[in-house]
Amino acid sequence: MTSGTIRVLIADDQMMVRQGFTVLLNAEPGIEVVGQAVDGADAVAKVAELSPDVVLMDIRMPGTGGIEATRQLTAAAGSTVKVLVLTTFDLDEYVYEALRAGASGFLLKDASADELAEAVRVVARGDALLAPDLTKRLIAEFSRLSATPRSPLKERVGTLTERETEVLAHVAQGLSNAEIAVRLVVAEQTVKTHVSRILVKLGLRDRTQAAVFAFDTGLVRPSGH
């Protein structure tokens, strides 16, 4: 981020949506829309050209869709761009696939201007953008679809200390650093340090991807499982 300004690219096949979001975000302090893309392939090309910090990515677009574009962007070597997925429908299957593809957050298109701006800021910081109720449903969905934890991921859990594993489980449950600190009776800065080490050890981009990892390895299960 240059001079603290968050650079945003908007990818949506509807021109009115792109223009509307551009007007809303450019009116926010510290946020600048640097470009627009009409589909997933265009988004990938524009990211390479414009180097935005955050991409607002529509899930459903003709040609290369938002999920595939997200996968390409987050898999690119040295990529630091964060993807905030936009959709009209609050459907678990799309949330699940988008997060698996590397998205850092999820937002409905009917979100208010304030919610949109806050989402961009949260994702740019590397924090998780998952509402508590959505997190609970995601845990259930991940547990259902990942009935058998993937072995390579399971092995990576072994690189974590017992306390780091504990912190990771709390992160996956949608708790903030402050909430985790209260649970573990430690300083918030200590939790922040643990989270940073977890991300480095596991090669993950942010808290959201740490949560995805925890779901995929079976570290977190919905209550009753």
Side-chain angles (χ1 to χ4, degrees):
M1 288 179 281
T2 308
S3 304
T5 300
I6 302 170
R7 294 164 56 81
V8 178
L9 175 75
I10 299 171
D12 196 293
D13 60 316
Q14 297 180 48
M15 183 174 67
M16 288 183 66
V17 172
R18 295 195 306 272
Q19 292 181 340
F21 283 152
T22 297
V23 170
L24 290 175
L25 289 175
N26 278 339
E28 293 287 336
I31 298 177
E32 177 190 3
V33 175
V34 295
Q36 299 179 11
V38 299
D39 58 29
D42 191 24
V44 173
K46 290 281 175 59
V47 166
E49 176 190 345
L50 302 169
S51 300
D53 301 301
V54 176
V55 177
L56 289 185
M57 183 80 77
D58 184 25
I59 283 186
R60 297 184 179 189
M61 293 184 285
T64 303
I67 291 175
E68 176 55 31
T70 297
R71 190 174 288 113
Q72 290 181 28
L73 288 174
T74 56
S79 170
T80 58
V81 67
K82 303 291 176 60
V83 177
L84 175 57
V85 172
L86 295 164
T87 185
T88 311
F89 308 102
D90 183 7
L91 297 178
D92 287 347
E93 62 180 295
Y94 291 114
V95 182
Y96 175 86
E97 288 301 329
L99 293 178
R100 258 282 182 77
S104 295
F106 173 85
L107 197 66
L108 293 178
K109 282 188 177 181
D110 62 0
S112 69
D114 286 345
E115 288 171 335
L116 178 63
E118 179 59 17
V120 168
R121 293 188 178 104
V122 167
V123 167
R125 284 199 305 266
D127 290 339
L129 185 70
L130 296 173
D133 62 328
L134 185 57
T135 301
K136 287 173 187 170
R137 286 189 290 125
L138 271 179
I139 293 172
E141 183 73 359
F142 269 85
S143 296
R144 183 179 70 78
L145 296 173
S146 301
T148 306
R150 294 188 283 175
S151 296
L153 294 183
K154 199 76 172 171
E155 289 167 10
R156 283 161 64 190
V157 175
T159 65
L160 302 180
T161 64
E162 187 176 339
R163 178 44 63 92
E164 286 167 350
T165 302
E166 197 175 5
V167 170
L168 175 58
H170 286 316
V171 167
Q173 289 161 358
L175 299 184
S176 66
N177 286 350
E179 290 167 333
I180 296 172
V182 170
R183 290 277 183 97
L184 301 181
V185 198
V186 296
E188 187 175 343
Q189 182 59 44
T190 301
V191 175
K192 188 174 180 181
T193 300
H194 281 312
V195 171
S196 296
R197 286 177 180 164
I198 289 166
L199 296 180
V200 170
K201 282 186 177 183
L202 300 179
L204 302 170
R205 303 164 63 81
D206 51 35
R207 293 174 77 93
T208 304
Q209 292 308 303
V212 171
F213 179 91
F215 299 147
D216 270 346
T217 55
L219 185 64
V220 176
R221 294 284 182 183
S223 44
H225 282 232

